[in-house]
Amino acid sequence: EESQALIDRVHEWESGVLRSQQNLNDIVEIFGAAEGEMLLQMLEKEGHSAYKSSGVYTFPNSSFLAIVELVLNNSAASDHLLRTLAESYANSYDDLRFYFYRNVAKIASPDYDPFKRSNNKPGFNGGTRVKLLTEESSVFIKNAFTVMNLIRVTPKKDIMDITDFWVRMPDDVGETEPSVLSPVAHKKAFSEAWLALLRLPLTPDIYKQVLLTMHKRIIPHMADPKSLMDFLSNSYDSGGPTSLLALNGLFTLITEYNLNYPQFYEKLYALLDRNLFHVKFRARFFRLLEVFLESSHLPAYLIAAFAKRISRLALSAPPSGAVIAIPMVYNLLKAHPSCMVLIHRIPGYDPESGEKIAENVDPYMPTESDPAKCMALHSSLWELETLQHHYYPNIATLASILNEPFYKPKFTLEDFLDHTYTTFFESDISRKSKKAAAQATQPPTSFLRPGDALNDFMAY
Amino acid sequence: MAKNRTAAPGKGSNKSALKQLRSALSTAGITKQHKQKKKAQKPPHANSVDRRQKLQSIQSSFNPFDMKINKTKFDIMGLKSKKKSEVNVAVARQKAVEKRKQTLGRELRETGRVGGISDRRIGEHAWWMAPEEKMLKRFTLERQKSSVYNLDNSDVEGEITGLTHYGRAIDEINEFSEPDDNDPVEGERFVMDEPDRKKTKTEVMLELVAKSKAHKAERQLAQQQDDSIRQELDDDFDSVRALLFADSDSKPMGKAAMGEDYGDGESYDARVRELGFERRARPQDRLKTEEEAVREEKERLERMERHRVRRMQGGASDTEDDDSENEGWGVGQRKRVPEADDLGDDFVGGDDDIGGLREGMSSGDSSEEEEGEEEEEEAEAEGSEASNEEEEEGEEDGSDLSSDESENERAEQGAAAQSASLPPNSATAEHELPYTFAAPADYAEWAQLIHGYSTDQQLTVVRRLRTLYHIRLAPQNKEKLAALAIILLEHLTVLIKSRDQRVDEFVKHVGELAAVDAERFGEHCRQLVAEMMQSEEPNVVLARVFVAVFSASDRFHPVVTPMLVAIGRFLGQTLFATRRKITMGLVLVGVVHEAQRLARRLVPEALNFLFATLVATVAGPEIDGYWPGEYPLSRRQRLAYSILTIDGECPEEIGPVRWSWLYDNGAVAESDKYAVLSACLCLCRRFIDAYFSLPAFIELFEPLTQILTNVADRLSRSPTPNKQLISARVSELQAHLAEQLREAHQLRAPLTLQRHKPLAISQVAPKFESSYSLDVHYDPDRERNESVKLRRQINREKRGAVRELRRDAQFVAGERLRAQREKDSMYKEKMKKAWGVLEDDQSQMKKLDRRLIKERKGKI
């Protein structure tokens, strides 16, 4: 009796703390220290007493939901706070993590209405929470993503591993096993939390980050990875850098979860746009592109279309892009010898129909979006031959491998992916030459040479 | 031998050994055969040596233990080194023992022996050497030894080397063997030289006499020949002389006249004397060497400075002789005046030499320009009123680079800048310019040095510095001039900033000074390029100068290539949001064009920038709309470019892009947009021409057609009255591009890059060795193969070595035993002798004793 009374009083205090606006920020600020610790301590006591009274293990989730909501909806939540929540609690305690995921899913769900929540503690039904969720959903998304991104412990696969509990787990759990002990439930909670989060309108920054880490940290631990398909397809179809990023997740789904994606190569072809060699994630993209085009069962026209498109883009690409394009095309040609006509075509001979073709006409259609119709196989890679005259000597040398017999089995594309202007420059400037820099045979007689291009349009 | 082999005991023969021997002997013809007994008494083998050999071979073939037979059970295919099937063990063993006796045995005998004589004669004990070999070795050593005494090893011809006799080489004496009566030893010596047969004195004397007679006859013959030649010459001389003195000597030529004339020796002498009075070529003044000329010029400047200082301090000037000297510096008289651009290295002489030839040619010639300057400088030095205007005009004539209108503008601006930069008392400052300066080590010192001087004076300072610290004058001048080159490079940026038109002169100096210490200059420029990369904006002036000074067409150039990377980064990654940046981009594209003028290498960033800028001028309000072309473009860039979009009227005249835009942060005026558009058009045309030869010319410039159409459209829509100015240019470029593209389309052909032999299809059939051998290792792993070989060799050698050691030990033991036995037998012999003597003595004694006893008995 006494303990019950005590617990009630504690609840009152707790709700008082949570309600009072002026306290909120303070709590949030020093979370992880005294009061935050105390709140969670309360949680533990509450669970314990509930067990004592009823003999059944229960996690006091309503209180925890309040805490989670409080933290995630607070725009002033500091990095330190979120980090503490993730690293000191969610990472360490299986039950906290489990319920955290559940709560996030609950809060993020569109039909979540805090008023309807069955709660015997009227103190929680303040009007603040609704306001927070509707007006500052971006705050919630940001905080939730930050915490979930920081939770490094993946859902455990074996029941024997689920051993760390914040609310002490009694030896005798009663007849019905609590869901916190089930690995399946853990996985489900994780999936639902992420799916709920991804359904919200993400900011571009978070969107990118999610896509960047998705294939490694989310997909493998989902209960049903295919449920991410919609999200990924939408991202892939949106075009631009987002598509490039979505490709990674999509790739994982296709290769490991048997996802069938219609019109995949058409869309992939469409991704090769004029900005491709200039975006930050080009290395990532080309890594995947290499894998997608690796199969020897792909038709020659498709490979030719990709090779031609890549070379066309390389023509206006910076050196860091051209240096990727050349080995990429080399690998394509090497793996698909039927595409060698792109660099070596006996004049007047059509490989398919055997008809005589006009020599000085390039049938390639650069604006055609369907690789099957762009006639790349009937064209030649003049672009790559032009790169043999590139101003950067290494690229010119690299491009001249197309003149050599194709002895080299394959280029490791990875060696070429991470170049930038700076790396090129560093390698050049650090190159020590024994000889002095060669000077012009005719020393200049004036600042601008007579006939200099600058004389055409510049004046003092 | 083969015959004997057949007679040797085979496996299948059933005869007894005795019978076999007998038959063998008889077939060899050693034993007398019964059939021949009656016919020939003499056996066919008279030669006993032959007979012995035959006997030996028969003997050896009949000793079964001498032969070691290697039986082969199977023929193993592909075994390379087959062992001999039969080896004569006895012979081999005997050989080995003989060899050991020669080597090991000798060592053994000489162990423990101290001192003695070591025989170093070549090949004396070398049993392994053939006699010829020994002789050859001895001979070569002898030759080498003889050259040891050859103290004079110099290669001077005609000098006597080797041993001499009375100052003559002995070889020489041997060869000609001239008789020398003064030397009584001579004859004897020759005799001594020939050890085989000693000649008698009479013989020698006879020989000498014969030789001297022969020589005499030879001399006479030579003299006769000389005479005949001289006679011929004299004959010819007459005709030649007739040519020489045709006017004076009109005698008819002929045999009779010749004979007459020849006889007249007096006239000949007269002619000789006459020739003596001929005017001789006078020796010319020696041409001054370059160094002397340079030194002279330096001294002149120093002297003038001394006088100036003296004048300044109020002392009397002793310029009389100097002035007269100065008068002598006219263009016509001076031979070789070191000019400002004289490096004294490679490109020195050319100017003056060619300058003379070019006198009638245009005034644009640099050497003449230089001369003109020099004159002006002289005029300044003398104190005459050389007006600035004149000089400027001269300059302008010299550097007639740009169109007339810009020329005028430049002149105006230059004058303005000049007047601005000059200190108030500049009119007198001209006279106060010192003649000598301390060489500046860095830019600060230089700035101090030229403080208050006009640009013209700065140029004079540079010229004087270059004369004073000419590289030929002192070795450390190289360093000073190299420093000057770097200083001037920095000064250039300042000059461009102040819009000074004398930049050309400075660039010229930089270009020439760069070669003084190319290494240091190059290294410094590399640093500057590194700075360029680090800074947001590359230094366009330096970039342009580097392209001019360095060999920009190199495939890899330590300065230009990194610089192009830096420029590429700037053009590709900068947000062109201000007039300054756009101007910078345009200038850099111009620099890129200049750098690729000869090599024509593709710089995608330049084209991208050019096309994007071109589109930007007419893009219109819709930022995110379709921009034709393949160049990459971000939304941010499109937004930034919107400042260029033309939306106003075309000005009366489309001006050029100003250098000053690089240094102020002015906003883009409406006329500036047209200037940028016009600049883009100019550059596009340049690049069309430069890149026409590239295989992907069509792919590169096809988008430009679309862009130009857009530009033309946009211009035609705008209501400006003066648009003709620009649209004419656009349509001109369009026509040019269309023409070039048409030509390129005609030239287009499919690629045939893999012209070499087609690659063989890789086979999966096993590799077949036609001549497989067990001894050859076919391991494809080369290293493993090698190591296996090596291991086997080691094993083989080890076994061999162990065997050798064992045999050696056996031999040594045998030798020791033999020696011991010898010793023992000698001792035995000795003892035997001693015993013999003693026994003899004993017996004598006993005999004597017996006799004595007998005698005694007899007596008794």
Side-chain angles (χ1 to χ4, degrees), chain B residues 576-788:
Chain B
F576 293 97
T578 59
R579 187 178 72 172
R580 185 151 168 264
K581 290 227 164 129
I582 290 164
T583 312
M584 214 169 258
L586 285 172
V587 175
L588 285 177
V589 170
V591 169
V592 165
H593 175 267
E594 183 63 21
Q596 304 301 344
R597 186 169 56 92
L598 297 171
R600 291 166 190 251
R601 297 208 179 89
L602 175 69
V603 185
E605 291 93 340
L607 288 184
N608 292 346
F609 167 78
L610 211 50
F611 293 170
T613 313
L614 197 54
V615 177
T617 54
V618 293
E622 67 282 0
I623 298 295
D624 284 341
Y626 174 67
W627 286 38
E630 295 271 349
Y631 51 86
L633 204 59
S634 65
R635 192 166 185 282
R636 258 166 21 114
Q637 188 60 269
R638 285 176 214 232
L639 272 173
Y641 266 139
S642 62
I643 58 153
L644 272 181
T645 312
I646 292 171
D647 48 7
E649 293 214 339
C650 181
E652 291 283 318
E653 192 186 2
I654 297 166
V657 177
R658 306 267 166 204
W659 283 100
S660 57
W661 293 358
L662 288 172
Y663 304 105
D664 59 25
N665 283 318
V668 186
E670 196 58 35
S671 59
D672 298 350
K673 296 174 186 172
Y674 280 95
V676 169
L677 174 60
S678 157
C680 284
L681 294 176
C682 290
L683 283 170
C684 278
R685 192 185 168 107
R686 290 285 188 150
F687 274 103
I688 288 171
D689 292 341
Y691 287 161
F692 179 69
S693 56
L694 290 183
F697 174 76
I698 298 171
E699 280 78 13
L700 282 170
F701 286 95
E702 195 77 65
L704 186 58
T705 324
Q706 179 65 32
I707 292 169
L708 287 178
T709 318
N710 274 23
V711 171
D713 272 5
R714 176 85 187 157
L715 286 175
S716 67
R717 269 190 283 130
S718 73
T720 53
N722 293 323
K723 66 186 179 191
Q724 287 306 325
L725 274 174
I726 193 80
S727 50
R729 288 191 200 179
V730 174
S731 54
E732 191 199 346
L733 185 63
Q734 266 179 317
H736 181 65
L737 179 62
E739 173 63 27
Q740 296 288 78
L741 280 176
R742 202 175 52 75
E743 214 167 306
H745 271 297
Q746 276 175 0
L747 291 173
R748 170 141 281 187
L751 287 183
T752 48
L753 293 181
Q754 301 280 308
R755 264 182 230 99
H756 42 74
K757 212 172 81 185
L759 285 186
I761 300 164
S762 57
Q763 288 188 331
V764 284
K767 202 178 165 197
F768 175 70
E769 285 294 334
S770 55
S771 56
Y772 180 77
S773 166
L774 284 175
D775 300 321
V776 179
H777 304 289
Y778 293 101
D779 194 342
D781 186 345
R782 197 184 160 78
E783 273 183 26
R784 195 168 54 196
N785 203 350
E786 295 281 303
S787 71
V788 164

Side-chain angles (χ1 to χ4, degrees), chain B residues 181-199:
Chain B
D181 299 336
N182 297 337
D183 187 6
V185 197
E186 192 77 39
E188 314 256 329
R189 218 183 57 78
F190 279 122
V191 173
M192 284 167 73
D193 266 358
E194 290 175 14
D196 321 343
R197 201 176 70 85
K198 210 165 184 182
K199 284 178 183 170

